[in-house]
Amino acid sequence: MGILDFLRRKPEATATVARERLRIIVAQERSTRGAPDYLPMMRNELLEVIKKYVHVDIEDININVERGADHEILELSVTLSGGPEPKPGKAQTGGKSGKAGRTAKVS
Amino acid sequence: MTAEIIVVTSGKGGVGKTTTSASLATGLAMAGKKVAVIDFDVGLRNLDLIMGCERRVVYDFVNVVHGESTLKQSLIRDKRYDNLYVLAASQTRDKEALNQEGVEKVLDGLSAEGFEYVVCDSPAGIEKGAHLAMYFADQAVVVVNPEVSSVRDSDRILGLLASKTRRAERGGEPVTQHLLLTRYNAHRVAIGEMLSVKDVEEILGISVIGVIPESANVLTASNNGIPVIVDAESQAGQAYSDTVARILGEERSLRFIDVPKKGFLQRVFGG
């Protein structure tokens, strides 16, 4: 690298940012690949229901289908951030963010 | 004898599918193979322009599928290589113009005519045209640019190749997947502005079969209607030749992926 290049050098390599963003999104999309088509719709409906009680965003809801030899596991996880709830008293919210995981088996 | 079917696909548009289809088909013909290249982009015919045969299109792919012309009438013989033929896309706006049975009939017809390779130039997207282009493939060349949206889309396409093709449905040998990195700028990679070959290989989990450097010659070639592989002087042409050789089983190391070494003055003053 020459002196002139050094002087006009930028602080961050954007290719690194691109690589990290792609790693995450590709991994996420691969995990839902081949999953049933109803998952995105179910996610939206669940969001509506959960929103009645707790303040969550769509990104806070993760749905995964894992396939075993003779069964499938539908995994739903909702990340609760400490925002105010629309209807207090109904659902548990903490000051800190926590993860409420529930696993339901679907045959 | 059955023709080897190679689909050139990408998901994202504008990454160089048609340029690649034209050059791979021409390169295979240069290697002495009998080759047909088919444009699956119904409604947006373009392969004919890149191959330089746009004024000789009489009958097209959809005509053959609908029995309005024979395969022989519709295949356009290349000006330069007489073992290379083009089957143009139709300009019809009817997206239902192609169907699986019709495509299979054409591919079987090409095998019966003694074609050794059929290159299928897929339209962008993941709709019917793209699905039909990949369905019967034995091999796939996934064209990707070192750019976020292209990389993500090609991962999607790799997933479809593994699930929505005849080979996948029959459960035998899967479609052979090749990754072709195009519009590569070694200088921008060196200064951290562009994803490197290694980055793309790691993200997608497969290695590249070729890297085509970004080159002014690609536009010149398309202006002239001559596939860039014919331009043996250009780096892009040479990189396509290497890619064809690898598809034919030869081992060749990647070229044009590093910035040329600079002289002393350049190193001190840059530029």
Side-chain angles (χ1 to χ4, degrees):
Chain A
M1 187 169 287
I3 290 166
L4 296 179
D5 284 334
F6 181 76
L7 290 176
R8 56 175 182 244
R9 187 161 59 160
K10 284 180 191 152
E12 196 183 13
T14 54
T16 313
V17 179
R19 188 178 61 216
E20 292 317 311
R21 289 174 62 213
L22 279 167
R23 275 209 181 122
I24 294 165
I25 194 69
V26 165
Q28 190 197 319
E29 287 176 349
R30 281 184 183 179
S31 71
T32 53
R33 186 180 290 167
D37 290 341
Y38 61 74
L39 277 193
M41 217 198 293
M42 189 165 88
R43 190 164 169 238
N44 281 331
E45 282 184 39
L46 282 167
L47 175 71
E48 291 309 310
V49 174
I50 296 168
K51 255 185 168 172
K52 285 185 190 170
Y53 305 97
V54 201
H55 181 83
V56 287
D57 282 326
I58 190 86
E59 300 97 79
D60 300 328
I61 300 178
N62 265 311
I63 299 184
N64 249 323
V65 177
E66 274 181 43
R67 291 206 171 84
D70 56 346
H71 64 281
E72 289 181 326
I73 297 176
L74 177 68
E75 194 181 64
L76 165 69
S77 89
V78 183
T79 307
L80 300 174
S81 57
E85 58 229 270
K87 281 186 183 174
K90 206 60 171 149
Q92 40 155 291
T93 48
K96 292 179 284 180
S97 61
K99 206 173 188 182
R102 277 251 142 59
T103 307
K105 265 195 183 181
V106 180
S107 59
Chain B
M1 200 197 75
T2 317
E4 183 79 1
I5 299 163
I6 304 178
V7 61
V8 176
T9 183
S10 70
K12 191 175 183 298
V15 296
K17 279 185 297 296
T18 302
T19 300
T20 297
S21 299
S23 278
L24 294 188
T26 306
L28 289 165
M30 288 160 98
K33 308 291 181 189
K34 188 172 180 183
V35 186
V37 55
I38 307 179
D39 190 347
F40 274 76
D41 204 347
V42 171
L44 291 171
R45 170 199 292 173
N46 271 321
L47 180 68
D48 55 337
L49 271 179
I50 304 302
M51 295 293 293
C53 65
E54 70 277 7
R55 294 180 63 192
R56 293 191 288 139
V57 179
V58 181
Y59 295 111
D60 58 49
F61 191 17
V62 172
N63 291 137
V64 191
V65 165
H66 290 197
E68 294 151 5
S69 64
T70 65
L71 194 51
K72 268 191 177 156
Q73 284 174 317
S74 312
L75 287 169
I76 305 161
R77 180 180 276 200
D78 185 71
K79 296 183 283 218
R80 290 163 289 267
Y81 301 95
D82 57 13
N83 48 337
L84 173 61
Y85 293 81
V86 178
L87 188 52
S90 163
Q91 289 288 51
T92 174
R93 278 177 292 175
D94 179 12
K95 289 203 168 173
E96 300 301 307
L98 290 181
N99 55 63
Q100 201 158 294
E101 298 71 37
V103 172
E104 185 171 22
K105 199 181 72 184
V106 170
L107 295 174
D108 288 347
L110 290 168
S111 284
E113 289 288 325
F115 280 88
E116 292 162 280
Y117 283 92
V118 178
V119 176
C120 301
D121 182 19
S122 172
I126 52 174
E127 301 297 314
K128 192 174 180 188
H131 171 72
L132 286 174
M134 73 166 65
Y135 186 74
F136 297 99
D138 300 303
Q139 300 184 34
V141 174
V142 178
V143 183
V144 59
N145 289 170
E147 179 270 325
V148 286
S149 51
S150 175
V151 173
R152 179 202 211 169
D153 287 0
S154 52
D155 189 61
R156 190 82 196 277
I157 289 292
L158 291 169
L160 294 176
L161 286 166
S163 60
K164 306 281 182 197
T165 51
R166 182 165 67 174
R167 283 192 172 213
E169 285 173 6
R170 288 183 176 175
E173 189 80 0
V175 177
T176 309
Q177 299 179 343
H178 305 293
L179 196 62
L180 181 68
L181 195 51
T182 62
R183 300 205 163 153
Y184 196 73
N185 185 323
H187 177 69
R188 299 193 75 181
V189 171
I191 59 174
E193 282 184 2
M194 187 179 267
L195 293 166
S196 67
V197 179
K198 193 165 150 271
D199 289 339
V200 177
E201 286 182 332
E202 278 178 11
I203 293 161
L204 296 175
I206 65 173
S207 51
V208 298
I209 192 150
V211 177
I212 314 298
E214 195 170 42
S215 158
N217 303 95
V218 173
L219 181 61
T220 313
S222 78
N223 285 343
N224 290 325
I226 301 169
V228 71
I229 197 170
V230 176
D231 182 1
E233 302 291 308
S234 71
Q235 291 194 348
Q238 292 170 29
Y240 272 119
S241 296
D242 289 349
T243 305
V244 171
R246 291 187 199 106
I247 288 175
L248 291 170
E250 210 178 297
E251 276 199 26
R252 289 198 187 179
S253 52
L254 293 173
R255 290 192 276 174
F256 320 120
I257 56 168
D258 295 312
V259 180
K261 291 268 191 299
K262 290 177 176 178
F264 173 73
L265 286 178
Q266 276 182 311
R267 257 187 287 145
V268 173
F269 294 106

